[in-house]
Amino acid sequence: MKKLKLLSLSLLLPFIFAGCSDDEDEKNYQVEMDAVVRNVHANLQTSLGTDVPSLSVYVVSPKGTYFSTVKGTNGTAVTPNTYFRFASNTKNFTSTAILKMMQDGWLNLDDKITANIPGATVPYTPNVADWNFPHKNDITIRQILQHNAGIYDLTNDPSQYNIGGETYADHTLTTNPDFQFSASDYAKVLKDHNLTYGPPNTVYHYSNTGYAILSEIIARVYSEKAGSAKTYSNFMYDKIVGPGSKRPLAIKFPELASDKQLPSPYVKGFIKYDTHDEVTDLKNASAHIGEGNGIGTMTMLSDYIRSLMKGDNVLYASSAELMRTNKGPATTSGYGLGCSNFPGIGYGHNGATEGYLSLIAYDPASDVSVIVLLPFWDLRGSNFNKCIATLNSTAIEAKKTLGY
């Protein structure tokens, strides 16, 4: 299946949730937002020349909580509690995990990834030959978070290394859909083929592989502190989103190649190619641990990003501020520590994984969070960029409707 480099007519089903009264102004907000989402959806369909299964937005603001969704002819209904794969939004959770470990004294952001874990005699990353990829000895945890580490992206970028035109990850999935990926697999390919974007802090380059390495660091640090073998998903469940966390949410981070089924209820992803269409709900997410394996709902993601950015979740307000603002010297975008700045929208991330596009953001100035879900890719010509742009335009128009 063709993959794409990443960087995230109909029946309206309006909902008004707790926080919205029945006064005329708030009724108008809902009606206006429904009209805005319907218009964006219709414009996208016209631009693409095809049916778009659905477009949904969930907004929490001082003026109330609003949800609007439009279902295309061939789509299925989406609610705020519908599960989907939120892809690279996972990176913000990974950053939260790293910053939580920093707060607890479990690691230091400016430690080299070859240094020993604080209080332990083992390093953050395996000290074996297959992990000796370019510039490893010079790379810090902070630089990976910022995409300033120079780590080549083996899931998105075929420019330096490809197999028949496919990236390493895509080719592996094509030949063995049930392959169990690990960070060690990626490290070995980096080492074997001497792959790098350059020394750390000399170039900004988005890297899924860098965040896969962060997932290994999280697992190794947690294993040392727990005194038993732990995984990335164990830490996320135990400390970030599970019942024992500060803000329990039923968000999942599957790690097994066999764990392909989404929880119910869920929306299927959909891809349109030149020659055929494809449904993409089943997925081997082990290729994307720590950088794109998250599963959740719009309400969960809204609760997460609002509480996180306000310092009401596992991070202190100062750590959330660091996440938003700490950019590397080579950074040419608004990217901080696993966090993007979307002008006019807020701070958060976006995500793109086969058949799913999404955006999560919170604006501290207006106290508005917005989640956008478009379970659709159009890979004909330049249409995919139009799909991506719809995430931002939907978020901006939704905020404008509420006067922000």
Side-chain angles (χ1 to χ4, degrees):
M1 181 174 67
K2 176 181 177 183
K3 305 296 195 305
L4 201 66
K5 179 177 178 180
L6 304 183
L7 291 172
S8 175
L9 76 142
S10 57
L11 175 65
L12 273 157
L13 303 176
F15 296 82
I16 302 179
F17 294 91
C20 298
S21 66
D22 289 331
D23 67 46
E24 192 62 30
D25 286 343
E26 292 195 341
K27 287 181 181 178
N28 287 342
Y29 283 140
Q30 184 66 57
V31 169
E32 291 173 11
M33 190 168 297
D34 291 344
V36 161
V37 176
R38 181 169 58 242
N39 185 57
V40 174
H41 179 263
N43 288 341
L44 180 60
Q45 290 197 139
T46 299
S47 179
L48 299 179
T50 190
D51 180 69
V52 174
S54 66
L55 174 65
S56 307
V57 64
Y58 183 85
V59 184
V60 179
S61 76
K63 295 180 180 179
T65 298
Y66 299 90
F67 173 70
S68 284
T69 186
V70 182
K71 182 172 73 68
T73 302
N74 297 317
T76 57
V78 172
T79 79
N81 298 312
T82 298
Y83 278 94
F84 61 94
R85 299 188 187 278
F86 57 75
S88 284
N89 290 300
T90 302
K91 292 181 177 66
N92 190 263
F93 287 84
T94 297
S95 177
T96 294
I98 292 287
L99 292 172
K100 173 73 165 72
M101 286 182 162
M102 175 201 73
Q103 287 179 176
D104 294 343
W106 289 14
L107 58 72
N108 302 302
L109 292 185
D110 293 314
D111 278 351
K112 299 290 198 306
I113 63 173
T114 52
N116 283 346
I117 296 167
T121 58
V122 299
Y124 289 109
T125 54
N127 184 21
V128 296
D130 284 346
W131 271 77
N132 290 336
F133 53 83
H135 306 295
K136 179 191 176 187
N137 294 339
D138 302 319
I139 293 170
T140 69
I141 295 171
R142 188 192 303 268
Q143 290 162 350
I144 302 179
L145 284 170
Q146 296 168 331
H147 294 302
N148 272 232
I151 298 173
Y152 184 75
D153 191 343
L154 287 164
T155 65
N156 279 332
D157 187 359
S159 64
Q160 291 186 34
Y161 177 70
N162 66 79
I163 308 171
E166 290 186 304
T167 66
Y168 164 74
D170 291 347
H171 177 76
T172 302
L173 286 169
T174 298
T175 56
N176 184 2
D178 297 319
F179 182 79
Q180 179 65 50
F181 286 85
S182 71
S184 292
D185 297 313
Y186 291 128
K188 186 177 188 305
V189 175
L190 295 176
K191 186 267 295 183
D192 287 349
H193 300 277
N194 197 36
L195 301 172
T196 178
Y197 293 122
N201 281 347
T202 63
V203 61
Y204 169 83
H205 201 295
Y206 193 88
S207 178
N208 283 345
T209 306
Y211 272 71
I213 290 170
L214 287 177
S215 76
E216 176 72 7
I217 290 173
I218 289 168
R220 288 170 67 85
V221 172
Y222 192 29
S223 295
E224 283 301 309
K225 299 303 177 181
S228 60
K230 298 290 185 180
T231 70
Y232 167 87
S233 184
N234 292 153
F235 185 80
M236 304 307 287
Y237 181 81
D238 293 344
K239 304 294 184 181
I240 306 300
V241 298
S245 66
K246 186 172 182 180
R247 201 86 175 195
L249 298 165
I251 289 173
K252 304 178 185 301
F253 299 93
E255 294 182 299
L256 298 179
S258 58
D259 189 5
K260 299 179 180 180
Q261 180 63 55
L262 286 163
S264 185
Y266 65 89
V267 61
K268 294 180 178 180
F270 188 85
I271 301 179
K272 191 165 194 67
Y273 294 95
D274 288 319
T275 59
H276 68 284
D277 299 335
E278 185 174 347
V279 175
T280 62
D281 55 318
L282 297 176
K283 179 180 175 69
N284 174 357
S286 75
H288 303 289
I289 296 172
E291 50 92 348
N293 61 323
I295 296 171
T297 71
M298 299 179 84
T299 53
M300 293 173 194
L301 290 169
S302 178
D303 193 353
Y304 163 78
I305 198 67
R306 286 183 65 81
S307 59
L308 184 79
M309 293 298 171
K310 296 171 79 166
D312 292 335
N313 204 310
V314 296
L315 295 188
Y316 305 144
S318 58
S319 297
E321 175 69 13
L322 187 69
M323 173 189 279
R324 293 192 295 268
T325 61
N326 189 227
K327 297 184 287 187
T331 301
T332 56
S333 70
Y335 205 92
L337 303 178
C339 182
S340 291
N341 179 11
F342 300 100
I345 302 172
Y347 294 91
H349 218 286
N350 58 16
T353 194
E354 293 89 341
Y356 297 92
L357 294 171
S358 56
L359 168 72
I360 70 172
Y362 173 75
D363 178 13
S366 61
D367 190 27
V368 176
S369 59
V370 58
I371 314 297
V372 182
L373 170 61
L374 176 63
F376 179 65
W377 285 20
D378 189 336
L379 295 184
R380 301 170 303 159
S382 62
N383 284 349
F384 184 75
N385 290 333
K386 297 176 183 178
C387 295
I388 287 283
T390 296
L391 296 177
N392 285 20
S393 61
T394 302
I396 289 172
E397 292 303 316
K399 288 187 68 178
K400 282 183 179 178
T401 299
L402 299 178
Y404 299 105

